[in-house]
Amino acid sequence: MPSRAPSKQPSTSAKLLYRPVGIVSSILGGLLSSLIFKQIWKRVSPSSDQRSDAPGPLESEYPIKEILVAAALQGAIYAVVKAVINRQGARTFEKVTGEWPGS
């Protein structure tokens, strides 16, 4: 098992400076994950109408299996996009400022 390097303690100023960057990247990540999900859902949706929006839990015309698959896929895409964007944002912040913004 590879050993992990000791984590650097971020300064309070680094945390404060990163906050606006984190907010903007979270918004962009949400938009990007939504676009990715819609494209994937159009291709894998078992529904005949091939709509880009996933069925919601209160839409009775869709089976529960389809609703749960859509929710799981949407959640997984969101989590992966969020992790990538947050990590890359922190790395870029560290390159620019010399400090890691995380805790």
Side-chain angles (χ1 to χ4, degrees):
M1 179 187 273
S3 64
R4 295 176 66 191
S7 62
K8 302 175 200 173
Q9 289 294 343
S11 67
T12 303
S13 61
K15 285 183 177 182
L16 289 174
L17 287 172
Y18 185 72
R19 206 169 267 173
V21 174
I23 291 170
V24 170
S25 65
S26 292
I27 292 169
L28 293 175
L31 294 172
L32 180 61
S33 63
S34 177
L35 291 172
I36 291 169
F37 172 74
K38 285 180 181 183
Q39 291 301 310
I40 292 172
W41 188 251
K42 276 197 272 186
R43 290 170 176 80
V44 302
S45 174
S47 298
S48 59
D49 63 2
Q50 295 297 310
R51 63 190 217 165
S52 63
D53 293 333
L58 299 179
E59 295 181 54
S60 62
E61 64 270 21
Y62 296 97
I64 188 69
K65 180 180 176 184
E66 185 175 347
I67 291 169
L68 295 178
V69 167
L73 179 62
Q74 191 171 27
I77 290 169
Y78 175 77
V80 169
V81 169
K82 180 181 176 188
V84 169
I85 286 178
N86 284 341
R87 185 62 174 212
Q88 289 308 112
R91 283 185 172 168
T92 302
F93 184 85
E94 183 181 37
K95 284 181 183 177
V96 171
T97 66
E99 291 193 57
W100 186 258
S103 53

